[in-house]
Amino acid sequence: EIQLGRPKDGARLLPLLRRHWGEKARFRKLRMYANPDSNNKMREYSQGEIADFTVTQSENALRGSEDYRDIFITAPTGAGKSLLFQLPALYLAQEHHAVTLVIEPLIALMRDQVNSLRQRGANNVVAINSDLTYGERQAAYERIGDGSASILYLSPELLLSTSLKDILGNRQIALVVIDEVHTVTSWGQEFRPDYWYL
């Protein structure tokens, strides 16, 4: 069963939500399985509750605690899943100066996500992919290293072929997000083996 601990409505994330998604922005409700292993009973969760839980798990890991959990979220297209990692990434960058790695399967998805965040005023986001020149890649690495970028979109191939030290410098990882995670199994074994090795 999904245990989010004591109920939190994401109040600490609300200022960031309103700064980047608009003054009247509020968290949506999502219907999810309460215990997918045993029954089909649904429960309603707010985006704020899930995003806050994500931040708490990351903060536990950043403190060196072993009391943190991986999170797997599945919801229909248009349900607002991207907010569930983008908002925690912005918060963790602001509060802990930590980096979020977002593994995306397609350059077009990377471009859309980066452009969307930048249009919302988040200038601490970069993407590194095969469309970039050598100079553009180096500039992105420098922004991660100097702290002016804290959200990095990249492919699994780049993640597995490049040392994390080269990517991050001395920065800590806040989150590792695998967006479109179904591609790990649907593409991984034959089409893009690096997805399988994630």
Side-chain angles (χ1 to χ4, degrees):
E1 185 167 349
I2 299 171
Q3 298 289 333
L4 297 185
R6 72 178 205 276
K8 293 184 180 179
D9 58 6
R12 65 178 165 167
L13 303 176
L14 203 51
L16 266 180
L17 177 75
R18 293 191 169 151
R19 181 186 320 156
H20 294 289
W21 276 265
E23 284 186 25
K24 295 183 180 180
R26 58 189 174 92
F27 294 119
R28 289 190 211 164
K29 298 285 187 184
L30 303 175
R31 287 185 52 77
M32 300 178 145
Y33 292 112
N35 190 350
D37 289 336
S38 65
N39 61 52
N40 291 336
K41 186 176 179 181
M42 301 293 280
R43 179 178 173 234
E44 205 168 71
Y45 296 93
S46 86
Q47 288 174 312
E49 188 178 8
I50 297 166
D52 193 274
F53 180 73
T54 301
V55 168
T56 298
Q57 300 315 299
S58 178
E59 288 177 328
N60 288 348
L62 287 168
R63 280 194 300 271
S65 168
E66 293 185 16
D67 183 26
Y68 66 90
R69 295 177 54 189
D70 293 333
I71 301 166
F72 179 89
I73 297 171
T74 181
T77 299
K81 293 184 297 293
S82 295
L83 178 80
L84 301 179
F85 66 82
Q86 290 174 342
L87 190 58
L90 290 167
Y91 181 87
L92 292 161
Q94 175 183 287
E95 298 299 317
H96 300 280
H97 194 61
V99 178
T100 294
L101 302 177
V102 183
I103 293 93
E104 284 284 0
L106 301 171
I107 291 173
L109 289 174
M110 278 186 215
R111 195 176 299 123
D112 287 348
Q113 296 261 347
V114 169
N115 288 341
S116 174
L117 282 168
R118 286 182 179 160
Q119 287 170 0
R120 295 180 187 288
N123 297 315
N124 64 341
V125 58
V126 294
I128 301 176
N129 57 54
S130 59
D131 278 0
L132 300 183
T133 66
Y134 176 79
E136 289 169 329
R137 269 188 201 213
Q138 290 308 113
Y141 285 136
E142 286 173 20
R143 289 196 62 209
I144 292 290
D146 70 18
S148 61
S150 293
I151 304 171
L152 171 60
Y153 283 81
L154 68 165
S155 70
E157 289 85 1
L158 181 63
L159 179 64
L160 293 173
S161 68
T162 308
S163 157
L164 279 178
K165 181 79 171 153
D166 290 343
I167 294 173
L168 300 175
N170 294 321
R171 306 272 311 275
Q172 280 189 299
I173 295 177
L175 296 172
V176 176
V177 177
I178 303 173
D179 200 14
E180 305 293 338
V181 74
H182 64 278
T183 56
V184 170
T185 56
S186 61
W187 293 359
Q189 288 185 315
E190 295 172 12
F191 177 49
R192 287 176 76 177
D194 284 334
Y195 251 101
W196 189 251
Y197 289 113
L198 279 174

